[in-house]
Amino acid sequence: MSWLARFEQSCAAFIERAFARSFPSDLAPAQVARKLIAIMEAQTRSEDGRLVAPGDYTVYVHPEELERLEPDRAYLEREWAELLRDLAVRVGAAFLTGGPHVAMAAASSVPPGAVEIETSNERRSFHLRTVKGVPADALYPVDGELRIGRGKDMDVDPSVSRHHATVALIEGVLTVRDLGSTNGTFVNEERVQQRQLQVGDTLTFGNTKMRVEAEG
C-alpha cells in the first residue's frame, strides 16, 4: 500500500482541516498536498539503513495563481511542510536537509490551476532582512546562531531586551527561540516561545520586523 493511501486512511481529516477554507484560486491546496506526498514517497530512498527523503520542495504555479494566493502563501507553505513532517514521522523517514521546506514560485510554463513540483537535497543558507526598523533593508546571515538583543554580546540590536531571542540553523532547520523577553517574539503576528521557521515568515522584535529569506 502506498504512503498516500496509508496516510489518507488515518489522516484525511488533517488535509481537510488544513485546507478547508476557500482560496481565491483554481488551485486546490489539498491536491497539492497529495502530490507532495506522492513525490516524497517516489524520491525517498534507503541510505545507511534508514529512509531519507528530499528536504526542499518548490511548488511551481502560474504567475497569476501565485499573485492570487500571495496573502495565503505563508500559511499554505507551512501547512504543506507540516503535512510532510508528520508523514515522515509515521513512516520513519528523515529529511536530507533537515527540512521539510516548501516554497511556492511562479512559472509561466505551468497552466492556471495546475502545479509542478521540484525537489532538492542541497543544503540552503538563510538570512534575515529588516523590513521595518533601523537599519532599513539590512541583511543578517544565519550561520549557526544569530543572537538578537541590545546586549553587547548580541549580533542584532533592534533596541529590545538585552537578550531577546535567538535564530538558529541546526542541520538545515531554522528555529527562533524567545529568551524570556519583555515584549515577546512574534512569528507572522503570533507570539511564540519557540517556532520552526519557513522562508517568507516575518519575525517581530519590538518595533523591528524581519523576513526570513533563502540565499541563492
Side-chain angles (χ1 to χ4, degrees), residues 25-201:
S25 170
D26 293 332
L27 188 67
Q31 290 303 316
V32 175
R34 293 180 175 92
K35 188 166 185 178
L36 281 165
I37 291 172
I39 289 175
M40 176 180 165
E41 178 182 9
Q43 297 190 17
T44 294
R45 65 179 187 271
S46 179
E47 184 177 284
D48 297 327
R50 62 173 186 159
L51 292 175
V52 291
D56 293 304
Y57 299 77
T58 303
V59 178
Y60 289 102
V61 300
H62 190 274
E64 293 180 0
E65 295 280 15
L66 186 61
E67 183 177 357
R68 284 193 289 267
L69 288 168
E70 187 62 36
D72 300 294
R73 181 176 182 175
Y75 169 82
L76 290 170
E77 290 172 343
R78 282 198 307 274
E79 290 296 331
W80 286 326
E82 183 61 29
L83 186 68
L84 296 183
R85 187 178 298 110
D86 190 52
L87 177 59
V89 171
R90 290 172 178 273
V91 300
F95 294 100
L96 289 174
T97 55
H101 309 287
V102 180
M104 280 199 290
S108 56
S109 60
V110 179
V115 61
E116 293 182 5
I117 298 175
E118 290 185 358
T119 64
S120 173
N121 293 324
E122 295 181 2
R123 193 174 297 275
R124 297 192 297 178
S125 298
F126 301 91
H127 60 251
L128 301 184
R129 181 187 297 273
T130 303
V131 294
K132 178 184 177 183
V134 179
D137 206 37
L139 296 181
Y140 298 93
V142 183
D143 183 12
E145 184 177 77
L146 191 67
R147 298 165 298 177
I148 297 163
R150 57 183 174 83
K152 293 182 178 180
D153 57 340
M154 297 290 100
D155 302 306
V156 183
D157 178 10
S159 297
V160 287
S161 299
R162 289 178 58 83
H163 297 86
H164 192 104
T166 61
V167 176
L169 180 63
I170 302 174
E171 295 184 355
V173 179
L174 195 65
T175 302
V176 63
R177 181 167 66 92
D178 186 83
L179 300 178
S181 65
T182 301
N183 296 319
T185 295
F186 295 79
V187 177
N188 302 322
E189 312 303 329
E190 178 185 353
R191 186 166 184 168
V192 301
Q193 179 60 39
Q194 182 167 314
R195 174 72 61 84
Q196 185 170 328
L197 300 172
Q198 301 289 332
V199 173
D201 284 346

Side-chain angles (χ1 to χ4, degrees), residues 9-28:
Q9 282 184 341
S10 58
C11 287
F14 178 93
I15 295 178
E16 299 308 323
R17 182 175 67 254
F19 307 113
R21 56 194 260 203
S22 60
F23 296 90
S25 170
D26 293 332
L27 188 67

